[in-house]
Amino acid sequence: MDPILFFDLKTQAKRLRAGIEKRLHAVLDHGAYINGPEVAELERTLERLTGAPHALAVASGTDSLVIAMMGEDLGPGDAVFIPTFTYNATCNAVLMTGATPVFVDVDPATFNINVEHLAHQVEAVAKAGKLKPRMVVPVDLYGLPADYARIEAIAARHGMTILADAAQSLGGAQKGKSVGNLCAMTATSFYPSKTLGAYGDGGAMFTNDPARLSRWASIRWHGTDDARKESVMVGLNGRLDSMQCAVLLEKLTVFTEEIATRRRIADAYRAGLGNAVTLQHVPEGSESAWGLFTITVENRDRFQAELAEKKVPTAIYYQKPLHRHRAFAPFAPREGELKHAESLSGRIVSLPFHPYLSEAQIAHICDAVRKAA
Ligand SMILES: Cc1ncc(COP(=O)(O)O)c(C=O)c1O
């Protein structure tokens, strides 16, 4: 059996090498390293993949969040509701606009934003009257889409927009619709280990609103007008270069197949682990993209050590909820308010996960997990 890797980027690179080289040589031949034809080709391919009417390629997942928030003119006095159990980029993006992050607890079964607690936090902010509820940013944790229908109902009651942080969930779906097309705005990341990963940084944004698309395109290019002659709003350099688009286009030729393989491996894990550990609950009608396969265990240090002995690497996403980070502590609510996230951060652990795990490796991992649990 080959050594088990937590993420395996090399096997796919070997498989796609000839096609990727051809694509990269085409960029070298035309020389349009910025805004080459690959950028629009990638955007149209992502639209077909997700069913979202408009896609825009950007420089990173973080930029996709920042540009979407800038596009809504977020600023001081605005409240943005985010789950506390996510990557720090979700919160950094809010703070970069000058808006205030309001932390929301997570659901103990799905690990995604807790809709009851969201409703409670929104009511509390509206009642206090200091901040205006403006936006909810659900995060599709580990690839599982958040509960968009119920979040939409809360957002609509308070005139808020929804921006999905789908950095981990491209390839997921809900009620027959793909991630990218589940709410008003979606941001995703092409960090190399994501379900669709570049060979460097990258990201994309999705919307059904042409007015939003046009603002985002301007912000992505320093806030200039279509002719790029005049600044019409504040912007930044959020472009995705032609080389990364070329790599992504080649990877997209196997993306749907890889997502199907991820699902098969997740099913094999779920069958193989039985009741030995607690799994992330996938609600009826939702399909995870399986960006990560994450379980909870009670004695995590011992569990990880036993798996390491059997050459099964594990990782923790995330060690601390955001409100426990020094940079975000000023926005922490009263002690005990975010109890599910507190509890989860001490118990979650992710198993090796990528579409190139062999059956023998999966069997070995399941066996090791069952024994260590
Ligand atoms: C939930 C979440 N949001 C945002 C990001 C930021 O994406 P990027 O690293 O491409 O800027 C990540 C990346 O890991 C993420 O997992």
Side-chain angles (χ1 to χ4, degrees):
M1 188 175 72
D2 288 334
I4 297 172
L5 302 174
F6 188 81
F7 292 126
D8 176 4
L9 305 181
K10 283 193 184 152
T11 306
Q12 188 207 48
K14 214 163 146 193
R15 175 183 179 194
L16 300 180
R17 177 103 183 196
I20 286 174
E21 282 184 357
K22 204 164 151 211
R23 280 270 184 191
L24 292 176
H25 287 149
V27 177
L28 290 173
D29 286 342
H30 65 58
Y33 301 115
I34 298 294
N35 206 28
E38 290 79 9
V39 181
E41 189 184 346
L42 175 68
E43 290 168 347
R44 300 301 78 76
T45 308
L46 290 171
E47 287 162 3
R48 280 195 300 277
L49 176 80
T50 59
H54 307 290
L56 194 78
V58 293
S60 68
T62 306
D63 275 353
S64 67
L65 292 167
V66 171
I67 292 170
M69 291 178 192
M70 288 173 75
E72 302 302 298
D73 278 329
L74 287 187
D78 291 334
V80 179
F81 298 84
I82 62 171
T84 187
F85 199 54
T86 174
Y87 189 52
N88 58 14
T90 319
C91 191
N92 280 332
V94 177
L95 289 168
M96 275 189 247
T97 68
T100 300
V102 179
F103 291 119
V104 179
D105 205 1
V106 289
D107 181 282
T110 65
F111 313 158
N112 274 334
I113 193 164
N114 185 310
V115 181
E116 288 80 27
H117 192 242
L118 171 67
H120 170 273
Q121 293 292 71
V122 174
E123 291 294 342
V125 166
K127 203 166 153 207
K130 288 198 187 117
L131 297 171
K132 186 171 162 31
R134 286 287 311 279
M135 186 186 277
V136 189
V137 187
V139 177
D140 300 341
L141 204 67
Y142 311 139
L144 178 68
D147 190 346
Y148 286 97
R150 289 172 67 211
I151 295 167
E152 183 71 57
I154 296 168
R157 264 205 307 280
H158 293 270
M160 294 190 289
T161 51
I162 303 178
L163 166 62
D165 181 341
Q168 302 174 9
S169 62
L170 195 67
Q174 197 166 64
K175 294 179 189 143
K177 281 188 170 186
S178 298
V179 164
N181 202 18
L182 299 180
C183 62
M185 301 182 278
T186 301
T188 196
S189 163
F190 300 137
Y191 183 81
S193 59
K194 302 297 190 199
T195 54
L196 179 62
Y199 287 163
D201 281 307
M205 318 170 60
F206 302 91
T207 182
N208 54 8
D209 179 353
R212 279 197 169 113
L213 176 75
S214 139
R215 283 177 69 79
W216 294 351
S218 172
I219 296 168
R220 173 181 71 168
W221 204 297
H222 301 286
T224 46
D225 59 8
D226 286 348
R228 307 221 172 93
K229 293 216 164 80
E230 188 189 343
S231 280
V232 290
M233 61 187 91
V234 176
L236 44 83
N237 176 359
R239 296 177 299 242
L240 185 61
D241 62 77
S242 311
M243 288 280 191
Q244 294 303 342
C245 293
V247 169
L248 289 164
L249 279 163
E250 194 57 30
K251 285 189 167 210
L252 276 161
T253 61
V254 297
F255 181 74
T256 305
E257 178 207 307
E258 285 188 350
I259 290 290
T261 307
R262 283 175 184 272
R263 292 209 173 115
R264 270 201 305 280
I265 295 173
D267 287 344
Y269 268 159
R270 292 159 83 84
L273 297 177
N275 297 326
V277 294
T278 308
L279 305 168
Q280 183 180 23
H281 173 63
V282 179
E284 186 73 33
S286 290
E287 289 195 57
S288 179
W290 298 109
L292 288 162
F293 192 94
T294 305
I295 60 175
T296 66
V297 292
E298 294 310 320
N299 193 341
R300 188 168 63 192
D301 289 347
R302 182 185 51 74
F303 178 85
Q304 285 192 284
E306 282 186 30
L307 260 63
E309 258 172 43
K310 292 179 179 160
K311 306 273 182 272
V312 176
T314 53
I316 298 173
Y317 299 94
Y318 300 93
Q319 293 275 1
K320 284 182 191 186
L322 294 186
H323 65 279
R324 292 273 175 221
H325 290 233
R326 254 178 298 165
F328 310 133
F331 307 99
R334 65 180 165 76
E335 205 53 44
E337 177 86 38
L338 303 167
K339 56 180 188 296
H340 296 306
E342 299 270 354
S343 158
L344 267 186
S345 63
R347 293 182 293 121
I348 46 97
V349 55
S350 301
L351 302 180
F353 206 84
H354 56 78
Y356 298 94
L357 282 167
S358 69
E359 280 183 23
Q361 289 175 323
I362 295 166
H364 176 79
I365 294 164
C366 289
D367 185 56
V369 170
R370 276 195 315 267
K371 290 196 173 117

